């Protein structure tokens, strides 16, 4: 339903799509391949991991080690709610603007922590919707990519407008001084 194409479009626009799921690793890898999060040439050992590796012995890795993993891994499987939150925090430490999608109570902490929390409007729980900044009325990833494209177009238009206004009115400002 357009998701594989939207993931490729997002990648082309400089957006890194990461999947964090409670599914088993092999299931998560298969889904990630189907929607183009993982490419056929990707090394699955480096691009996908079980979240148990984030917390060996029950304690989370140091910030440096966590950041190293999250900078390259695109599929996180068997994720607990705390794992989702730690992954979002790690990506933010690296300077990434994070958008998190979710539909359940287990997603609420990460939805709240992300720069932009996006809840599913149809399947989403009220807790997820309350923790989010935005609600997708159609539960479709393609809508996010389309919104980013429109937002970037609007932002570029505002930049051009401000540059035009500044260049036209600079002469008036100079007359004052």
């Amino acid at each position: 339903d357009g998701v594989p194409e939207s993931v490729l479009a997002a990648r082309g626009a400089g957006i890194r799509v990461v999947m964090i799921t409670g599914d088993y690793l092999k299931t998560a890898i298969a889904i990630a391949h189907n929607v183009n999060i993982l490419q056929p040439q990707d090394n699955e050992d480096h691009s996908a991991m079980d979240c148990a590796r984030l917390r060996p012995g029950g304690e989370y890795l140091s910030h440096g080690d966590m950041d190293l993993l999250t900078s390259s891994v695109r599929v996180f499987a068997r994720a607990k709610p705390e794992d989702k939150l730690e992954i979002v925090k790690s990506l933010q430490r690296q300077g990434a603007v994070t958008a998190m999608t979710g539909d359940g109570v287990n997603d609420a902490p990460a939805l709240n922590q992300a720069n932009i929390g996006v809840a599913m409007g149809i399947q989403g729980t009220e807790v997820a919707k309350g923790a989010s900044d935005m609600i997708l009325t159609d539960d479709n990833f393609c809508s996010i990519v389309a919104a980013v494209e429109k937002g970037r177009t609007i932002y570029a238009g505002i930049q051009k407008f401000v540059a035009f206004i500044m260049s036209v009115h600079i002469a008036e400002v100079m007359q004052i001084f």
Side-chain angles (χ1 to χ4, degrees):
D1 64 331
V3 174
E5 295 81 12
S6 292
V7 170
L8 291 176
R11 185 176 293 132
I15 299 169
R16 181 173 165 235
V17 179
V18 175
M19 182 171 75
I20 309 171
T21 180
D23 291 331
Y24 286 100
L25 184 59
K26 289 192 182 286
T27 304
I29 289 171
I31 293 168
H33 277 294
N34 285 341
V35 297
N36 287 327
I37 292 173
L38 290 179
Q39 300 291 299
Q41 69 273 13
D42 286 335
N43 181 342
E44 293 173 4
D45 294 332
H46 294 102
S47 298
M49 64 175 281
D50 190 301
C51 283
R53 286 181 44 200
L54 298 176
R55 44 187 155 68
E59 295 292 320
Y60 281 100
L61 297 170
S62 68
H63 288 325
D65 291 339
M66 176 79 78
D67 294 351
L68 188 64
L69 277 175
T70 59
S71 68
S72 61
V73 174
R74 283 179 287 165
V75 177
F76 294 91
R78 301 298 297 155
K80 296 180 179 182
E82 311 87 63
D83 298 337
K84 296 175 183 183
L85 180 61
E86 290 300 319
I87 292 166
V88 169
K89 286 180 181 178
S90 174
L91 293 170
Q92 289 174 328
R93 277 194 306 273
Q94 297 169 52
V97 175
T98 58
M100 170 78 183
T101 61
D103 61 0
V105 174
N106 62 329
D107 297 319
L111 287 168
N112 192 44
Q113 176 68 38
N115 297 96
I116 305 162
V118 182
M120 300 299 152
I122 299 170
Q123 297 291 326
T125 63
E126 292 305 314
V127 173
K129 292 175 188 177
S132 297
D133 301 300
M134 181 170 51
I135 300 171
L136 282 181
T137 56
D138 62 359
D139 288 6
N140 193 336
F141 179 80
C142 304
S143 298
I144 297 171
V145 176
V148 169
E149 287 175 10
K150 288 198 187 277
R152 287 182 175 180
T153 301
I154 292 167
Y155 182 72
I158 291 170
Q159 284 181 314
K160 289 175 187 172
F161 173 75
V162 169
F164 172 75
I165 292 297
M166 294 300 286
S167 65
V168 168
H169 295 296
I170 194 75
E172 293 175 24
V173 173
M174 296 306 281
Q175 285 178 350
I176 295 171
F177 298 106

